[in-house]
Amino acid sequence: MDSAAHTTLAGRLKPLVINGRTYEGRAELRPRGELVHGCADVLDETLTALPSDVRRVELDMADVVFMDTAGLQFLERLDHYRRLRHIPVAATHWSGQPRRILELAGLDTTDPLHATPPPATASAPAPEADPPACSVVALERAEQLHMLRTEVRQLRQAIVSRPVIDQARGILMAAHACTPDDAWHILRETSQLSNTKLHTVAAALTAGAGTDGPPPPEAVRTALRTAVTRRLH
């Protein structure tokens, strides 16, 4: 079996394809590509096509190379199927950028359908004899938490403006011969450096790519050059 969904920039981004097999009441599925807009629909098609005698579903996510908040919808649909059918469902072998997104969302990176685990950064209290070091660690963790919350907020906002962000990623990929993951990081860092909303940055890049389109604001252009240099050079 296989199902696929194409992004708005077919041929540039990687469409989600789900291959798999079933035997002895067990379905083994292997998604490949990106968990972006439309991925939950591909999952629905795949799950609907499974034989009625399937009693366990396992997804190997090793070939998923990118995900945004649409990936969380993917997991919600998967969890709904699990509860509806009352059968074990697992999604394992996450790596790279998708694994990072699971961490940002506070999900179990081994299998996000399980309960959220204790924070991986938790450690034993520092000895009372060294309170300054403990304070430094606490400050560093607070800063990291703030950065992670900012990333999660941006990811949640991105889903509502996915088409223009897809286009901006495609423009960056074509202009700099970079990967979808690189393009996403460049967009995000440009947004942060220029103190401009991610959607606004993407819209400016997309508009400027037209024949007579206006160039992005100077602050965005400067931040974009810095982001590209940091990521690709």
Side-chain angles (χ1 to χ4, degrees), residues 8 27 32 60 81 94 116 162 168 173 178 192 212 214:
T8 56
R32 184 177 71 253
D60 185 339
Y81 178 84
W94 298 82
T116 303
R162 182 70 205 181
M173 291 162 60
C178 63
Q192 294 170 345
D212 298 317

Side-chain angles (χ1 to χ4, degrees), residues 134-210:
C134 182
S135 298
V136 170
V137 170
L139 288 174
E140 288 179 348
R141 288 181 180 169
E143 183 178 356
Q144 291 173 352
L145 180 59
H146 174 72
M147 293 175 63
L148 294 179
R149 284 174 174 169
T150 299
E151 289 191 66
V152 170
R153 185 169 61 252
Q154 289 183 338
L155 287 167
R156 287 173 177 169
Q157 291 172 346
I159 190 171
V160 300
S161 54
R162 182 70 205 181
V164 71
I165 290 177
D166 273 348
Q167 293 175 36
R169 283 175 66 202
I171 291 168
L172 290 174
M173 291 162 60
H176 301 286
C178 63
T179 66
D181 195 17
D182 287 333
W184 168 255
H185 279 84
I186 291 170
L187 278 176
R188 188 182 63 189
E189 187 165 2
T190 300
S191 170
Q192 294 170 345
L193 291 174
S194 63
N195 195 27
T196 306
K197 290 183 178 180
L198 186 65
H199 175 270
T200 303
V201 170
L205 292 179
T206 303

Side-chain angles (χ1 to χ4, degrees), residues 117-122:
T121 55

